[in-house]
Amino acid sequence: MSNPSPARQNEKQLTWRQRWYEIIFEADTPAGKLFDVILLVAILLSVVVVMCESVGSIREEHPILLFRAEWFFTLLFTVEYVVRIICAPRPLRYICSLYGVVDLLAILPTYIILLPFFQGERAQRLAVIRALRLLRAFRIFKLAHMLSEATALREAIWAARAKIAVFISFVLIAVVIVGSAMHLIEGGPDSTVESTSAEGGPDTATQPTGFDSIPQSMYWAIVTMTTVGYGDVSPTTPLGKALAACMMILGYCMIIVPTGIVSAELAQGRGKDISTQVCTECMAEGHDADAVHCKYCGTKLHHS
Amino acid sequence: MSNPSPARQNEKQLTWRQRWYEIIFEADTPAGKLFDVILLVAILLSVVVVMCESVGSIREEHPILLFRAEWFFTLLFTVEYVVRIICAPRPLRYICSLYGVVDLLAILPTYIILLPFFQGERAQRLAVIRALRLLRAFRIFKLAHMLSEATALREAIWAARAKIAVFISFVLIAVVIVGSAMHLIEGGPDSTVESTSAEGGPDTATQPTGFDSIPQSMYWAIVTMTTVGYGDVSPTTPLGKALAACMMILGYCMIIVPTGIVSAELAQGRGKDISTQVCTECMAEGHDADAVHCKYCGTKLHHS
Amino acid sequence: MSNPSPARQNEKQLTWRQRWYEIIFEADTPAGKLFDVILLVAILLSVVVVMCESVGSIREEHPILLFRAEWFFTLLFTVEYVVRIICAPRPLRYICSLYGVVDLLAILPTYIILLPFFQGERAQRLAVIRALRLLRAFRIFKLAHMLSEATALREAIWAARAKIAVFISFVLIAVVIVGSAMHLIEGGPDSTVESTSAEGGPDTATQPTGFDSIPQSMYWAIVTMTTVGYGDVSPTTPLGKALAACMMILGYCMIIVPTGIVSAELAQGRGKDISTQVCTECMAEGHDADAVHCKYCGTKLHHS
Amino acid sequence: MSNPSPARQNEKQLTWRQRWYEIIFEADTPAGKLFDVILLVAILLSVVVVMCESVGSIREEHPILLFRAEWFFTLLFTVEYVVRIICAPRPLRYICSLYGVVDLLAILPTYIILLPFFQGERAQRLAVIRALRLLRAFRIFKLAHMLSEATALREAIWAARAKIAVFISFVLIAVVIVGSAMHLIEGGPDSTVESTSAEGGPDTATQPTGFDSIPQSMYWAIVTMTTVGYGDVSPTTPLGKALAACMMILGYCMIIVPTGIVSAELAQGRGKDISTQVCTECMAEGHDADAVHCKYCGTKLHHS
């Protein structure tokens, strides 16, 4: 507190590269914070532009406007990308970082369609990859106390990673087994056999039940176990319905497991508002972080 | 207890405005409580009337009855609104409050259709906005100990607001990215290109897959991630199904995060096993149930 | 322990009514337990019979068998009902109790179809009301330690009843408001106006969108908020889809609230494995239920 | 630590059977771990082969490749099965164990289709039963600290088994009752009566509503209560919709119960803030972290 960092003290003597570095890469100074907010708004607007382009009616009404907005944001982000490379003390490190790759991917699609051998309009839509840049929003949260909350969340999930891995393994194995079982039960007539026999017409062969292959049955099993339940594939035979019903109740019971895991993990992290200090008199531990005296013998505690 | 509030003592000397204020705005006196219950029943009935009006068969059978009931409740609520303005010590403050605005909006729609330049019958249905007045029900709960429960709930949600904000941001970014990806994978042929080329017929162009634009794909992504799963839009290509399956499992895992957050928050509030004793020396509260000495000043606590 | 209850001691001297009362109404003796298990199996079988009767193919194949089984169980339950009335010390009290009413309702449907003025076959299916008798299963659990678990569950839900009531009120008000809004947005053309104007054909009038009335929209809102999502009704306009997406995320966030409530309530109940005894020496509380000595000063505790 | 197990010390003197036993059945040695990983990869690949076989297009393109892969894995697993039997100290015990039965079932289907009296191609697909062998994956987790996590999960679920049983019983009884009620409300006209009366055409009889029998209605009830909501069966009458809406809200409220149970159970296991100190007098463990005296014998505890 008494001795500020030299970077702050000699701000006037900073080179323009250092000054821009502070503005672009850090978010502690007012200028840096302002830059981040403006950037976030620009990213949001550019994502909206890509969205509008994908809607047929809007694209036909305002083709020029969208084209110009698209190139405006592309050039803006290109300039930002170049400045970032110039300002970064170690440019290669930035280019290879997650944010660097995302920044590059965000401007590439617009340039790609200029190339003569790549005229597909759909490449244009790849520009939506710049939605990934919205992840920068989390950098601004860094300023507020949201960071600690996000950290608590990340730590709870990280602490529960082994339990979640066990859980996901179990779900995936269940999906494979149930998917295969449903394929056996609900899968239509054996198409290999049927195609050789002349009695089956093409009508029955082209009528898919949605359980025609194991991967499709697994898709159904995932749709069902996660309780999404589109209904594009659903069992029709009594046996299939019975198995599906069992699986739903199983899935219903299973949703409680990971929820309980994370709840307990977070509750534990929350409950630990206890300082590590030990009473010098009675050696009692477990004092609250705001305790001044030992709650058992009344001795004054020495705060660390 | 020994000295009752003057308002109670001199009830007879109150002006009629003060008396009506107590009845209409407060719910502590028997008259005020009765008024609130009657009002709630009236609001419920008026909502039922608007509902009945929206059902074609009922509307055709009893057009006169519904018309009269509609105007009866509108006039009733108009009188109530006027009385509230008259009784309120600071009428403008009431008019601009949330309840004041809702009270006004609840009576406007019926009057609007009287205007010559606004003959749409649908305006009538706006009267359903008076369902918002049901929020007054929470005022009656104020009498019971439900208020403290509602407060505990609100505090738990408020304490978890940062975590929930981080979570919602993450969900929305995931929706944008997955929605865009599904648009690229499942979106039909490029309609701009197709419409200029003469080979595509209008049949293929008018056959929407539900992923024709990014907003529609985002709608699908939200329907899927929240496990609602209407099935009006569902992937058809193998790649799309695989991506959808991954997204479902992701969404399934994600539902555990906010649940755990609120559980831990509520458990913390509940788990505070704190005695009601007050330190006789420094008047500090919030001691643990097993504390012997005040943790702030070291004075021995007197257990109740 | 030293003086057994007189009922046990003088079992031989009991009248047959008292003996049968013990067997039928209580489940503490081996005979009573056996009776309850046999009864439960009979109830399960009778429910299966009613189920089989409702399946067309089974009903047509074994009409005589089902008819006999139906009457066998009806007569069996009738005998049981009569014996219960005879044995009960206060028959009226049993008849008016929940179990008494259910027992009566379980045998009535089969007799009803004998009446000349009630020949609907469907009355037969009312016999499925005897599924309610399965609730007797909980009486058998009484023997095991499941009762305490069920009690813990019931107490947790009961303790959270105020919070759950607040929550349900909020959900229902949200359903009314969102349902009304969707009716305004998605509800087809105003049928009253349309029917008077001659330009609309009957085709558009008979094409329901699923949002034709507020109750139907509320049905949709409930289907969506509970994430069931049949898909029989789903929004088609962009505005409706946007509102539906908002509502889904709201509903997704809301599912966490009651879960957290009950989790916290159960966690509290679990954590309370603490006896109410107070140390006579240091007056410390919060000792574990299995503690012998005060954990603060070492004085021996007097167990209650 | 000072005296290693003889098996380790005299590893060179081990017979080949004992050496192979260590490699195949145990996973503590590097060789055993490597064997388990290779086996897991082989199982994964064999499951992928069975999946590919079930997809028509892949099966028609590479029939020879799939046939060879199928037999390669079958023979590989056969050799492994035989070696396991030879190496196991008590072969019968292995054969009758869960893993032994699964290992046998995994190789049987391929041999079955060789039999002259069993030419159905679908038998081939039974080979997918080898997906069950993926459960071996949990053996590898044994090496990491995942085992303790899986144990914590299993213990939490086991501790909550009584509550979950009560819960499942309640859900099933609710499914039977609601399913029956919906069958009464939504079930089409009585087909037995209708078929005898000549006025009903075959069109109405062959038009199933999805509530034609109680088992089908129960299937719908399970689909709805678990919030899967396919939409292949959905109520059409107003009364049925109202009942379905009530049931959904009931189901929505019920999902919180088991979640809360497991959360509380896990939180309790976690929350045991118990010190590792042992009473020097009575050797009792499990003292609270803030205990000063042993709660069983009153001896003063020595804090670590």
Side-chain angles (χ1 to χ4, degrees), chain A residues 54 59 230 288 292-293 295, chain B residues 180 192 214 224 288 292 295:
Chain A
S54 76
R59 189 173 53 224
Y230 284 136
D288 287 357
V292 179
H293 287 264
K295 63 182 176 178
Chain B
S180 308
T192 314
I214 291 176
T224 299
D288 285 359
V292 179
K295 63 182 176 181

Side-chain angles (χ1 to χ4, degrees), chain D residues 264-273:
Chain D
E265 211 67 53
L266 279 168
Q268 191 192 23
R270 290 263 140 187
K272 268 183 195 158
D273 209 15

Side-chain angles (χ1 to χ4, degrees), chain A residues 253-294:
Chain A
C253 288
M254 255 174 22
I255 206 176
I256 69 181
V257 175
T259 310
I261 293 168
V262 172
S263 293
E265 212 67 53
L266 278 168
Q268 190 192 23
R270 285 265 136 185
K272 259 189 197 164
D273 212 16
I274 284 176
S275 70
T276 56
Q277 53 198 355
V278 181
C279 173
T280 53
E281 198 64 37
C282 66
M283 302 302 287
E285 290 181 1
H287 301 292
D288 287 357
D290 59 350
V292 179
H293 287 264
C294 169

Side-chain angles (χ1 to χ4, degrees), chain D residues 102-156:
Chain D
V102 169
D103 288 354
L104 181 62
L105 286 176
I107 53 176
L108 272 190
T110 320
Y111 292 117
I112 281 178
I113 58 165
L114 288 185
L115 301 178
F117 55 84
F118 202 93
Q119 283 298 347
E121 282 278 324
R122 198 177 288 180
Q124 179 72 51
R125 296 179 190 171
L126 285 170
V128 86
I129 210 165
R130 61 185 55 154
L132 276 173
R133 296 200 71 193
L134 288 174
L135 292 172
R136 280 192 182 277
F138 288 106
R139 278 194 61 219
I140 299 181
F141 295 155
K142 193 162 50 181
L143 303 176
H145 67 289
M146 271 188 187
L147 183 69
S148 70
E149 302 291 349
T151 306
L153 260 185
R154 197 168 51 230
E155 275 175 9

Side-chain angles (χ1 to χ4, degrees), chain A residues 160-239:
Chain A
R161 70 191 182 284
K163 283 214 198 78
I164 290 175
V166 169
F167 175 72
I168 298 271
S169 313
F170 185 74
V171 169
L172 287 185
I173 293 176
V175 162
V176 171
I177 294 170
V178 174
S180 307
M182 287 301 283
H183 171 58
L184 282 175
I185 294 170
E186 290 272 331
D190 226 303
S191 35
T192 314
V193 175
E194 287 294 300
S195 58
T196 52
S197 67
E199 61 189 6
D203 291 3
T204 54
T206 54
Q207 204 172 24
T209 65
F211 297 97
D212 302 307
S213 66
I214 291 177
Q216 281 195 18
S217 294
M218 284 168 62
Y219 166 73
W220 167 85
I222 290 174
V223 168
T224 299
M225 280 194 113
T226 54
T227 75
V228 171
Y230 284 136
D232 54 347
V233 184
S234 61
T236 51
T237 61
L239 188 57

Side-chain angles (χ1 to χ4, degrees), chain D residues 2-303:
Chain D
S2 55
N3 50 351
S5 68
R8 289 276 181 289
Q9 226 171 10
N10 312 323
E11 204 165 331
K12 291 287 175 289
Q13 288 79 10
L14 287 173
T15 65
W16 64 269
R17 264 184 65 184
Q18 281 169 310
R19 284 245 291 286
W20 275 101
Y21 176 78
E22 269 206 6
I23 291 170
I24 295 183
F25 280 91
E26 293 184 359
D28 299 324
T29 57
K33 193 172 174 178
L34 182 70
F35 176 83
D36 271 1
V37 171
I38 290 174
L39 181 61
L40 201 62
V41 171
I43 294 170
L44 269 176
L45 284 177
S46 72
V47 170
V48 170
V49 166
V50 177
M51 279 184 195
C52 290
E53 249 169 1
S54 76
V55 182
S57 56
I58 298 177
R59 189 174 53 226
E60 278 158 27
E61 273 183 40
H62 311 284
I64 309 299
L65 184 70
L66 286 172
F67 182 81
R68 283 180 186 164
E70 178 62 30
W71 275 103
F72 169 75
F73 285 116
T74 304
L75 294 176
L76 187 76
F77 293 154
T78 308
V79 169
E80 182 218 340
Y81 184 66
V82 170
V83 173
R84 273 181 193 274
I85 291 177
I86 293 171
C87 291
R90 302 164 71 182
L92 261 179
R93 202 174 178 182
Y94 161 70
I95 291 171
C96 299
S97 73
L98 180 65
Y99 280 133
V101 171
V102 169
D103 288 354
L104 181 62
L105 286 176
I107 53 176
L108 272 190
T110 320
Y111 292 117
I112 281 178
I113 58 165
L114 288 185
L115 301 178
F117 55 84
F118 202 93
Q119 283 298 347
E121 282 278 324
R122 198 177 288 180
Q124 179 72 51
R125 296 179 190 171
L126 285 170
V128 86
I129 210 165
R130 61 185 55 154
L132 276 173
R133 296 200 71 193
L134 288 174
L135 292 172
R136 280 192 182 277
F138 288 106
R139 278 194 61 219
I140 299 181
F141 295 155
K142 193 162 50 181
L143 303 176
H145 67 289
M146 271 188 187
L147 183 69
S148 70
E149 302 291 349
T151 306
L153 260 185
R154 197 168 51 230
E155 275 175 9
I157 293 169
W158 182 248
R161 69 190 183 285
K163 283 214 197 77
I164 289 175
V166 169
F167 174 73
I168 297 269
S169 314
F170 185 74
V171 168
L172 287 184
I173 292 175
V175 162
V176 171
I177 293 170
V178 174
S180 308
M182 286 301 282
H183 172 58
L184 282 175
I185 294 171
E186 291 271 332
D190 225 302
S191 38
T192 315
V193 175
E194 287 295 299
S195 58
T196 52
S197 68
E199 60 189 7
D203 290 3
T204 53
T206 54
Q207 203 173 23
T209 65
F211 298 97
D212 301 309
S213 66
I214 291 177
Q216 282 195 17
S217 295
M218 284 168 62
Y219 166 72
W220 168 86
I222 290 174
V223 168
T224 300
M225 282 194 112
T226 54
T227 74
V228 170
Y230 285 136
D232 54 347
V233 184
S234 61
T236 49
T237 62
L239 189 57
K241 285 183 176 181
L243 181 60
C246 292
M247 192 192 167
M248 282 170 212
I249 290 180
L250 178 73
Y252 195 64
C253 288
M254 254 174 23
I255 205 175
I256 69 182
V257 174
T259 310
I261 293 168
V262 171
S263 292
E265 211 67 53
L266 279 168
Q268 191 192 23
R270 290 263 140 187
K272 268 183 195 158
D273 209 15
I274 285 182
S275 69
T276 55
Q277 55 197 354
V278 181
C279 173
T280 54
E281 199 64 37
C282 67
M283 302 302 289
E285 290 182 359
H287 301 292
D288 285 358
D290 59 350
V292 178
H293 288 264
C294 170
K295 62 184 175 179
Y296 298 117
C297 68
T299 307
K300 200 156 188 193
L301 295 168
H302 296 277
H303 278 268

Side-chain angles (χ1 to χ4, degrees), chain C residues 51 54 59 121-122 125 128 131-132 149 153 226-230 251 259 263 266 270 288 290 292-293 295-296, chain D residues 163 177 180 183-184 188 190-192 214 218 220 224 227-231 252 260 288 292-293 295-298:
Chain C
M51 279 183 195
S54 76
R59 189 175 52 225
E121 282 278 324
R122 199 178 288 181
R125 296 179 190 170
V128 86
L132 276 172
E149 302 291 350
L153 259 185
T226 54
T227 73
V228 170
Y230 285 135
T259 310
S263 292
L266 278 169
R270 284 266 137 186
D288 287 357
D290 59 350
V292 179
H293 287 264
K295 63 181 177 180
Y296 299 118
Chain D
K163 283 214 197 77
I177 293 170
S180 308
H183 172 58
L184 282 175
D190 225 302
S191 38
T192 315
I214 291 177
M218 284 168 62
W220 168 86
T224 300
T227 74
V228 170
Y230 285 136
Y252 195 64
D288 285 358
V292 178
H293 288 264
K295 62 184 175 179
Y296 298 117
C297 68

